Amino acid sequence: MDNVCKSKNLTTGAWTRQIDIVENVDDNGKKFLELSEPGGKQSCNRECATLSKSCDSLMEGEIDADDFSAYLYRSRPTVEQLQEKLCKKLTKRCVGTKKALPIDHKRTDEPFVPMDETASKMEELTAMMKEAGVGGSLRSREDMADMLDEYDDDTEEDSYANMNRNFAPPGYAKNSHEKEDEF
């Protein structure tokens, strides 16, 4: 239960990366925020961090984590049973009517962009390496090619010229037509 709200934990906190916060309008023209599951998982950005923070607030302030863990273990609830328990019995977060957003509320939606299979696997491998105490990061072929292109922009001649200019001993002219000032 310790990491259930942590989006960086790819096992227990993965749910935070599968949910999108969307703005909807009801029949009366009032705007509401709702949670949706568009499918897949995304990189954790602002909306994912908001879900994690809300979950932390719930788990630290409103629910006894030990009692909740025992409930999950004993009951093996369905999603509907879990929603009923969380929303109506353990907290009052879901009771009553939805609160409409202020009329002048301006919200920039963060689009839900599912990760492709390769990026997801690389992220999982990086997390496993980190847990095992192995540093470093994994990069795709495209990322490596982009990095190499940046290095290829410098020609060998430019590199040698920069090296000579930066490591010239005192009194040594940087260019053959220059004289270095002496002290």
Side-chain angles (χ1 to χ4, degrees), residues 34-115:
E34 295 180 340
L35 303 179
S36 73
E37 292 182 72
K41 76 176 179 182
Q42 65 178 335
S43 295
C44 189
N45 296 310
R46 200 176 66 239
E47 288 184 2
C48 172
T50 300
L51 289 168
S52 292
K53 188 172 181 175
S54 179
C55 177
D56 277 334
S57 169
L58 177 72
M59 296 305 283
E60 292 173 6
E62 296 180 49
I63 292 179
D64 182 287
D66 294 332
D67 289 343
F68 189 60
S69 295
Y71 165 74
L72 291 174
Y73 181 75
R74 281 191 317 266
S75 303
R76 305 256 190 247
T78 65
V79 172
E80 292 78 21
Q81 291 169 330
L82 185 59
Q83 285 175 334
E84 178 76 19
K85 182 82 167 173
L86 277 174
C87 289
K88 297 179 181 168
K89 294 181 180 171
L90 296 177
T91 71
K92 301 297 180 213
R93 285 192 177 201
C94 307
V95 176
T97 59
K98 294 188 270 184
K99 293 182 182 176
L101 296 170
I103 294 170
D104 60 346
H105 178 76
K106 302 273 189 255
R107 178 178 180 271
T108 304
D109 185 45
E110 184 178 278
F112 187 94
V113 180
M115 297 173 78

Side-chain angles (χ1 to χ4, degrees), residues 22-34 98:
V22 295
E23 187 174 296
N24 283 327
V25 180
D26 70 4
D27 295 336
N28 299 325
K30 293 183 181 179
K31 294 189 259 182
F32 298 91
L33 292 181
E34 295 180 340
K98 294 188 270 184

